[in-house]
Every structure is written in structure tokens, then in C-alpha cells.
């Protein structure tokens, strides 16, 4: 008797639910954790740089600014290096392509925020694709505005003020999206395992990424569930 | 409690045609990049509008929450040492020395006994934020120089701070201006520790970094000694709108 059978609502008995499915390869995981660490440095240094009462306690403005700028310039490097690697970048490039291309399911998923069961995601749902595109855009904007702020003598005067303003606003939006990302990640252990160990269980994949699971496992997609049926009672 | 049903054999479905996709991800990315570029170019004007709209709503109170809103015209606190230095108003002393006939050591009361100078000017930071129409009270640096008696050969002033790191400079001509003061009051109250109190320099026509905070000494010297921020690439003569690569008009230099 496998572990998952003992869990209530773990799914139909005869399906092998402890099957592991590779979700992210080693390169993708390294990129994720390097980028996440740099993002943590950026957000932590940003607080005393922006919030006056914290600045009054911590001081050291010049040091904090240097650390912040260095981390900001380094942030895209792991991602870009991985993307460019002919051999090692294939997993990342495939996922970037998936995240870029939206189907009806993804648009429907975003419109109903996952509540419409007819919207069946492939590997990533619409919310994840939206978040990824937003963060990618935000990082580029933060880099550009940060460069204008740091090397201000090369740009027209009002651009420095404009860049500071955009940098401040996008920082708030980025922090909000990071909090959302962390909330989802920390409340879904299987999803978290996907990015830490690289694999997820089959039943999680069937629930979270049904089209991807069907493709990977070589199985037909189950028929559209009726909204009233709980997912663990879906029939094949 | 869920009941486990035996699995029915899967009904084979005909292979679905590949779902049509559109590159929404790329569009979002490019859209944001475009908006960001636009924001850099017009952001100063948007910020000015937001500052005007927020002005009746926010005030520089103890918590200074208004300063957390991007575009609100509030002071930001910068310190280059760890935490802020402190000197009590009663223990505070300002020294004026160097190429002078009579070196001075003045307490806060001594400063307040001298003829007061009052300025209402914008405080403009070189990074782009501006607090409009700040009221300052203090003593003209020119009056301090007259009292100490400047000796021939002197051409500049060096300023030092009791934080141990902040230094600044002015030429004698710049320091003699009617809008360069040693300030002990700001917005109707004593200059707080956060803002460089009990006494700071205030150089109205120049960017904020020239206005040395936590002022401890004025040294009359025979050449300009560039200060802390100049060492990090900022202009020595920091005229608002005509230095540091800028040409924006200061909103009040009157």
C-alpha cells in the first residue's frame, strides 16, 4: 500500500500516485535560487534606502547603495547565462516558450483566477504566466531606471526624477508580486518541492497541470469535470 | 470522507488539434518596457502633479508615512555613517576657526542671540525629490564671518560634522550670499536630529548635499577642499538647475 493511498482524497486507488515527474532541471533550479537570493538582497537593502525611519537607524547609505546596485546588475545574469547555454539551457528555453505562449485555457484561468474548471492548464497556469511576464518586464524597468539614477550625469535632468519615480512605483508592485508568489509557494508543498528537488508527484501534476501531465505520461486528457464533482472523485 | 472508486478504463479521445497560442508573455514584457521608458521621460511631470495633489493630505510628522508614497514632496533621510549622530541642544557647540582673527565657540543660545535670518525656500535634492517652501531660521554665515574677522588670504570655507564623516565646502563669495545660513529652526520648530539638528548648514541656491548636517565646525581656509559627496562624483558648485548635468529651473530662488 503506497503512502498516497493512506491520504484522504488522494485519488483513485489503482493509479500510481507516487510516480515522480521531473518538472524543473538542475539549471532551472540554480537560476531560480540565485535570482531569488539576489532579489532578497535588493529588497532588504531597498528598505533602509527608501524608508526614512529605517535609514535613520541604519545609516551607511553609500555602502547600502553599492550593495543594492551590484545586486541589481547581477540579477539578470544567471537567467541570461542559462538561456544562452546551448546544452544546459534547453529546459529553461522550453519553459520560457511555454510561459510566453498563452492558450484559451490561460486567458480563461486569469479571467476566473482558476475557478473555472474548464480552463485546464498545461505546465503553467495563466496566473503563473502572468506573474512571470510581469516580473521579467519589471526587472528590465528597474534595471533601466536604476542605471539612469546611478549614472545620472549622462541623462537629461528630468529623466533622473522620472526614473526615481518609476523605480519607486515598480518596486512596490514587484514586492506585491513577490509576496503573492511566496504565499502560493509556501502553501503548496508539492509545488515547492518542484523547485527545490526538481520533481512533483503524478497526482499533483494531474491536478495542477493536467495537460502537461497527459502529455508527459502519454495518457489521454480526462473529460471535462463537472464543476460540482470534487477533483478526487473524477472518473477517467 | 472520500470513497475510492475503481478506475474505469480510460475512454480514448481523438487527438486534439494543437491549441492556438498567442505570445501574450512577450506582449506584457514589451508593454512594460515601453511604459517604463515613457515613465522615465514624463515621470517628473507626473510626480509634480502627485506632489501637488498630496500636499494638503500629508505632512512631515513623526512617522513621516507620506514620504513612502512615490511623488509626495517629502523629505528623505540620508545618513552616511551608521545611525544618526546626536548632540543635545545644551551641549551643542559650533566652532569657527582657521584664517580668522577671533576663533569662536558658540552655543545654541549664542547663535539665537545673533540677528536672525529667515528663509522660505525649496529644498532640492540632486536625486530628484524636492520639498517646496521650507521655512528656515538661523544666522547668516556672513554674520558669523564678520564676528570672527576673516584674515587676508582666505578664500573658502570648509564645513565639518559631528557625525565624523560629512564634510562640505563653499567659496567665500558663495558663503557671503544672503541665502546661506546656519539653521537652528526648520518649519517652525528646532531642527530635529533626523534633519541634521540641532544646527545644520542651509545653502538655498544649491542642491541639498551642500547643506552639511549635524554641523560642528566652520573652518576658514585658503582653497576649496571638496567634501564628502564631491568625492563620490558630485559637482563642487552645486547650483540648482546648473550643475550635476541638470538644467531644470529651481522653483524658488527669490
Amino acid at each position: 500500500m503506497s503512502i498516497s493511498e493512506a491520504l484522504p482524497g488522494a485519488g483513485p486507488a489503482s493509479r500510481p500516485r507516487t510516480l515522480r515527474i521531473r518538472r524543473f532541471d538542475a539549471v532551472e533550479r540554480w537560476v531560480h535560487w540565485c535570482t531569488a537570493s539576489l532579489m532578497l538582497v535588493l529588497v532588504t537593502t531597498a528598505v533602509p534606502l527608501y524608508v526614512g525611519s529605517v535609514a535613520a537607524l541604519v545609516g551607511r547609505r553609500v555602502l547600502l547603495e553599492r550593495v543594492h546596485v551590484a545586486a541589481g546588475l547581477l540579477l539578470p545574469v544567471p537567467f541570461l547565462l542559462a538561456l544562452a547555454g546551448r546544452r544546459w539551457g534547453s529546459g529553461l528555453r522550453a519553459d520560457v516558450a511555454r510561459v510566453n505562449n498563452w492558450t484559451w485555457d490561460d486567458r480563461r484561468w486569469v479571467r476566473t483566477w482558476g475557478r473555472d474548471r474548464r480552463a485546464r492548464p498545461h505546465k503553467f497556469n495563466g496566473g503563473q504566466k502572468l506573474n512571470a511576464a510581469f516580473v521579467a518586464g519589471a526587472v528590465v524597468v528597474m534595471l533601466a531606471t536604476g542605471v539612469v539614477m546611478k549614472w545620472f550625469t549622462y541623462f537629461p535632468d528630468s529623466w533622473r526624477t522620472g526614473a526615481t519615480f518609476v523605480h519607486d512605483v515598480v518596486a512596490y508592485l514587484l514586492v506585491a508580486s513577490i509576496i503573492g508568489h511566496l504565499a502560493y509557494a509556501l502553501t503548496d508543498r508539492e509545488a515547492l518541492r518542484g523547485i527545490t528537488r526538481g520533481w512533483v508527484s503524478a497526482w499533483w501534476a494531474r491536478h495542477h497541470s493536467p495537460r502537461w501531465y497527459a502529455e508527459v505520461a502519454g495518457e489521454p486528457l480526462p473529460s471535462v469535470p463537472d464543476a460540482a464533482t470534487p477533483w478526487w472523485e473524477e472518473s477517467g | 470522507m472520500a470513497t475510492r472508486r475503481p478506475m474505469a478504463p480510460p475512454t480514448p479521445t481523438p487527438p486534439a488539434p494543437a491549441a492556438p497560442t498567442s505570445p501574450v508573455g512577450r506582449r506584457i514584457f514589451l508593454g512594460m518596457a515601453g511604459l517604463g521608458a515613457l515613465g522615465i521621460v514624463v515621470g517628473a511631470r507626473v510626480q509634480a502633479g502627485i506632489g501637488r495633489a498630496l500636499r494638503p493630505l500629508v505632512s512631515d510628522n513623526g512617522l513621516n508615512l507620506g514620504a513612502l508614497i512615490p511623488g509626495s514632496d517629502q523629505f528623505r533621510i540620508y545618513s552616511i555613517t551608521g545611525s544618526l549622530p546626536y548632540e543635545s541642544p545644551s551641549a551643542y557647540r559650533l566652532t569657527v576657526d582657521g584664517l580668522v582673527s577671533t576663533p569662536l565657540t558658540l552655543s545654541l543660545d549664542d547663535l539665537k542671540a545673533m540677528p536672525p535670518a529667515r528663509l522660505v525656500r525649496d529644498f532640492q535634492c540632486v536625486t530628484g525629490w524636492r520639498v517646496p517652501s521650507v521655512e528656515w531660521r538661523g544666522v547668516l554665515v556672513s554674520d558669523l564671518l564678520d564676528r570672527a574677522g576673516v584674515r587676508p588670504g582666505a578664500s573658502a570655507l570648509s564645513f565639518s560634522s559631528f557625525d565624523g564623516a560629512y564634510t562640505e565646502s563653499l567659496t567665500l563669495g558663495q558663503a557671503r550670499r544672503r541665502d546661506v545660513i546656519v539653521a537652528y529652526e526648520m518649519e517652525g520648530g528646532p531642527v530635529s536630529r533626523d534633519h541634521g539638528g540641532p544646527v545644520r548648514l542651509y545653502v538655498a541656491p544649491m542642491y541639498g548635499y551642500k547643506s552639511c548636517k549635524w554641523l560642528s565646525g566652520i573652518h576658514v581656509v585658503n582653497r576649496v577642499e571638496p567634501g564628502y559627496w564631491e568625492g563620490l562624483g558630485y559637482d563642487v558648485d552645486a547650483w540648482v538647475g546648473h550643475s550635476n548635468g541638470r538644467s531644470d529651473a529651481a522653483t524658488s530662488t527669490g
Side-chain angles (χ1 to χ4, degrees):
Chain A
M1 181 173 170
S2 61
I3 294 170
S4 49
E5 284 180 21
L7 296 173
S14 61
R15 284 285 174 182
R17 288 168 307 272
T18 52
L19 202 66
R20 295 179 177 190
I21 303 186
R22 170 148 310 290
R23 190 163 167 88
F24 296 115
D25 61 27
V27 170
E28 289 180 290
R29 282 177 279 134
W30 268 97
V31 168
H32 176 266
W33 290 111
C34 288
T35 309
S37 309
L38 287 167
M39 196 64 94
L40 181 67
V41 169
L42 283 167
V43 173
T44 323
T45 50
V47 174
L49 286 172
Y50 190 71
V51 181
S53 43
V54 178
L57 284 173
V58 172
R60 299 176 177 86
R61 183 170 186 84
V62 175
L63 171 68
L64 286 172
E65 192 210 270
R66 285 185 177 142
V67 171
H68 187 86
V69 170
L73 293 171
L74 280 174
L75 186 89
V77 172
F79 180 79
L80 293 174
L81 277 179
L83 212 58
R86 194 173 322 159
R87 258 188 329 136
W88 65 69
S90 54
L92 182 63
R93 282 194 296 273
D95 279 345
V96 168
R98 289 188 185 101
V99 153
N100 177 35
N101 289 301
W102 291 42
T103 62
W104 173 90
D105 294 287
D106 301 317
R107 287 192 291 275
R108 185 85 198 142
W109 198 101
V110 169
R111 262 202 297 274
T112 60
W113 209 253
R115 276 185 304 274
D116 186 349
R117 310 271 303 289
R118 294 171 299 156
R120 336 248 338 250
H122 194 266
K123 187 173 181 184
F124 303 107
N125 63 45
Q128 291 172 307
K129 296 189 180 187
L130 179 65
N131 182 60
F134 168 76
V135 169
V139 164
V140 163
V141 171
M142 293 303 268
L143 249 178
T145 51
V147 162
V148 172
M149 289 161 74
K150 178 70 184 170
W151 289 282
F152 57 94
T153 50
Y154 297 106
F155 300 99
D157 46 280
S158 69
W159 287 22
R160 184 176 188 176
T161 305
T164 308
F165 178 68
V166 172
H167 200 86
D168 295 347
V169 170
V170 176
Y172 274 111
L173 297 175
L174 248 182
V175 167
S177 86
I178 290 171
I179 290 174
H181 176 73
L182 289 176
Y184 278 110
L186 298 174
T187 52
D188 187 334
R189 273 176 41 215
E190 288 273 344
L192 192 55
R193 181 162 57 202
I195 198 64
T196 54
R197 312 279 293 283
W199 56 268
V200 293
S201 69
W203 68 257
W204 183 89
R206 286 181 75 231
H207 172 58
H208 180 275
S209 307
R211 291 190 192 274
W212 177 66
Y213 174 76
E215 183 184 296
V216 163
E219 289 175 12
L221 199 63
S223 54
V224 178
D226 121 54
T229 310
W231 67 265
W232 59 83
E233 284 182 36
E234 285 169 31
S235 53
Chain B
M1 189 160 23
T3 47
R4 301 194 311 245
R5 298 193 211 129
M7 204 56 217
T11 324
T13 51
T21 65
S22 49
V24 177
R26 189 190 330 150
R27 287 179 198 153
I28 293 175
F29 174 79
L30 291 175
M32 287 183 66
L35 274 176
L38 186 70
I40 290 175
V41 172
V42 307
R45 245 169 292 169
V46 174
Q47 177 172 296
I50 291 178
R52 263 196 305 276
L54 286 176
R55 205 164 298 155
L57 301 171
V58 299
S59 61
D60 186 2
N61 53 28
L63 279 176
N64 203 13
L65 290 174
L68 295 178
I69 306 173
S72 69
D73 294 331
Q74 297 290 297
F75 274 99
R76 301 196 189 191
I77 308 296
Y78 296 169
S79 165
I80 57 183
T81 56
S83 89
L84 305 183
Y86 177 73
E87 245 179 55
S88 75
S90 51
Y92 175 77
R93 297 291 182 270
L94 175 67
T95 56
V96 182
D97 55 22
L99 293 169
V100 293
S101 319
T102 323
L104 304 173
T105 304
L106 300 163
S107 68
L108 201 53
D109 291 336
D110 294 332
L111 286 171
K112 289 184 176 173
M114 291 180 68
R118 180 176 170 274
L119 293 172
V120 180
R121 296 283 189 278
D122 291 2
F123 187 92
Q124 169 90 59
C125 179
V126 72
T127 63
W129 57 269
R130 181 202 320 256
V131 184
S133 301
V134 183
E135 185 193 2
W136 304 88
R137 276 178 76 85
V139 174
L140 285 173
V141 170
S142 188
D143 288 351
L144 289 172
L145 293 176
D146 288 341
R147 190 145 144 180
V150 176
R151 296 227 303 264
S155 64
L157 303 184
S158 283
F159 300 90
S160 53
S161 165
F162 58 85
D163 78 353
Y166 201 165
T167 56
E168 261 309 333
S169 69
L170 287 174
T171 67
L172 214 46
Q174 291 164 351
R176 287 280 190 193
R177 288 175 58 108
R178 312 308 288 171
D179 53 9
V180 175
I181 63 171
V182 156
Y184 48 72
E185 263 177 38
M186 179 181 148
E187 303 279 49
V191 178
S192 70
R193 180 186 178 194
D194 278 10
H195 290 295
V199 174
R200 73 174 295 170
L201 186 66
Y202 178 57
V203 185
M206 294 191 178
Y207 286 111
Y209 63 89
K210 296 299 287 187
S211 299
C212 188
K213 291 188 285 193
W214 308 292
L215 191 66
S216 61
I218 301 177
H219 319 284
V220 182
V221 292
N222 58 15
R223 59 178 186 83
V224 170
E225 293 161 354
Y228 182 85
W229 290 106
E230 288 78 2
L232 291 170
Y234 292 95
D235 286 350
V236 173
D237 301 308
W239 303 106
V240 173
H242 308 290
S243 64
N244 291 295
R246 301 180 74 119
S247 58
D248 51 336
T251 55
S252 74
T253 53

